[in-house]
């Protein structure tokens, strides 16, 4: 833009020069005009760059003012106002990197969240627990994050183990306990206490001593599923000596959960079994499970389940997961997945890595890719290195055009159609 203004200034200045009664030579006039255009261009570009910086600073200050207002509103007398403020904090923490802003306000925010957990009910407690998880993700594994976890750990445990509390609140507290402990716990005692608490909840779904299957409603089963997933997350950071105890105490009991009538609980149990097998083989390559054949029979039955009384989507998801679990236990082959974010990729090639990624994906939602790009904690966990510093031109250069996407999708569609046609063609059986 400044360059085009320079050209128009040059033409205008030339015409004015010839009309005026001046005795300056052509060379002097030209140099004078060029000097004028250059200074005009510089004065035009400086305000533009300055305005961009000012606008960006103003936008940041406005966003911070809104966050401060939300933090203040979490102490409001109205439950509706508090819940709305918590929702806004949840959205901001999951979609942006705010660690610098939060470090100086962590004590105030921790007190506010603790009050919401103690004084609030149901949905307010559930959202507050989610915000606690996001706060720990923002602060990371530094001392500030550890202080938040230590302050709120007992409150989270009390709500989780309180059978009279809202199931939604207990569900969120189970997730928060797993995420916060994984991120911020630096002492073995904190890890053990969290594991013990989570075990006490989901073990209620284990088959009883007389062989009978416990009966729970769907909400309680969802709670047991969530606590099992949080427990599995914490198992990934346990020392080998602790893994051995889990193999002795839980591996014989977890296959019993495969008989549950809740599909999410069955899947969580199958993934936990695969996770324990992976950790056991990592510490002992000769690891053998006594009831492997019986376990594989159960997994095969679930991988080929076609019972009509189960929802079609549940059957499809279950078959996919349990095929992967069965192949891993029999052949030690782990399913692979590639997560693309920006111009980078994250490779999921172990059950440990899958459990960790799924845990952060569940809490961050659609913001997980933004955090993978810019959050130092996640980049350290997944060994992605320091955040990449890319300008807008570099990002645009790596984007695929809409036409290229169309060509790729068309080619993939044709290849898929041909492959399916061969399978469906009756003549394939003859050949």
């Amino acid at each position: 833009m400044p360059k085009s203004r320079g050209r128009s200034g040059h033409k205008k200045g030339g015409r004015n020069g010839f009309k005026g009664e001046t005795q300056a030579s052509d060379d002097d006039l030209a140099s004078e005009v060029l000097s004028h255009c250059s200074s005009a261009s510089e004065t035009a570009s400086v305000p533009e760059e300055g305005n961009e910086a000012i606008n960006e600073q103003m936008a940041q200050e406005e966003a911070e003012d809104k966050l401060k207002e939300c933090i203040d509103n979490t102490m409001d007398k109205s439950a509706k106002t508090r819940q709305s403020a918590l929702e806004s904090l949840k959205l901001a923490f999951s979609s942006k990197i705010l660690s610098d802003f939060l470090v100086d306000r962590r004590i105030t925010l921790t007190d506010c969240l603790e009050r919401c957990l103690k004084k609030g009910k149901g949905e307010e407690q559930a959202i507050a627990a989610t915000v606690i998880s996001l706060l720990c993700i923002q602060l990371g594994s530094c001392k500030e994050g550890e202080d938040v976890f230590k302050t709120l750990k007992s409150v989270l445990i009390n709500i989780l183990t309180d059978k009279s509390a809202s199931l939604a609140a207990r569900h969120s507290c189970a997730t928060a306990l797993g995420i916060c402990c994984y991120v911020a716990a630096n002492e073995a005692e904190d890890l053990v206490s969290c594991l013990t608490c989570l075990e006490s909840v989901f073990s209620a779904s284990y088959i009883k001593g007389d062989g009978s299957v416990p009966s729970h409603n769907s909400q309680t089963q969802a709670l047991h599923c969530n606590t099992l997933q949080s427990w599995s997350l914490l198992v990934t950071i346990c020392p080998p000596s602790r893994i051995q105890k889990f193999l002795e105490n839980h591996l014989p009991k977890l296959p019993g959960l495969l008989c549950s009538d809740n599909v999410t609980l069955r899947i969580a149990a199958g993934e936990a079994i695969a996770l324990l097998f992976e950790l056991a083989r990592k510490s002992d390559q000769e690891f053998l499970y006594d009831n492997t054949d019986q376990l594989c029979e159960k997994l095969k039955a679930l991988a080929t389940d076609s019972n009509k009384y189960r929802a079609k989507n549940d059957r499809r998801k279950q078959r996919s997961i349990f095929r992967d679990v069965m192949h891993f236990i029999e052949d030690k082959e782990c399913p692979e997945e590639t997560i693309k974010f920006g111009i980078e990729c994250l490779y999921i090639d172990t059950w440990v890595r899958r459990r960790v990624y799924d845990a952060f994906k569940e809490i961050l939602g659609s913001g997980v890719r933004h955090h993978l790009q810019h959050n130092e904690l996640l980049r350290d966990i997944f060994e992605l290195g320091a955040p990449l510093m890319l300008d807008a031109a570099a990002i645009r250069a790596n984007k695929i055009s809409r036409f290229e996407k169309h060509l790729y999708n068309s080619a993939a569609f044709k290849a898929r159609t041909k492959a399916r046609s061969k399978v469906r063609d009756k003549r394939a059986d003859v050949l």
Side-chain angles (χ1 to χ4, degrees), residues 105 214 218 294 357:
R105 297 166 179 82
S218 59
Q294 184 179 356
Y357 174 74

Side-chain angles (χ1 to χ4, degrees), residues 3 90 98 124 126 147 192 194 215 227 245 259 284 336 376 410 428-429 431:
K3 193 173 183 181
K90 174 184 172 182
L98 302 165
E124 181 182 343
D147 291 341
V192 171
C194 290
S215 177
T227 52
K245 292 182 180 179
C259 301
D284 181 12
E336 296 181 1
E376 293 183 0
S410 297
D429 296 333
L431 294 175

Side-chain angles (χ1 to χ4, degrees), residues 189 233 247 312:
E189 294 178 359
L233 175 66
L247 294 173
K312 189 174 182 180

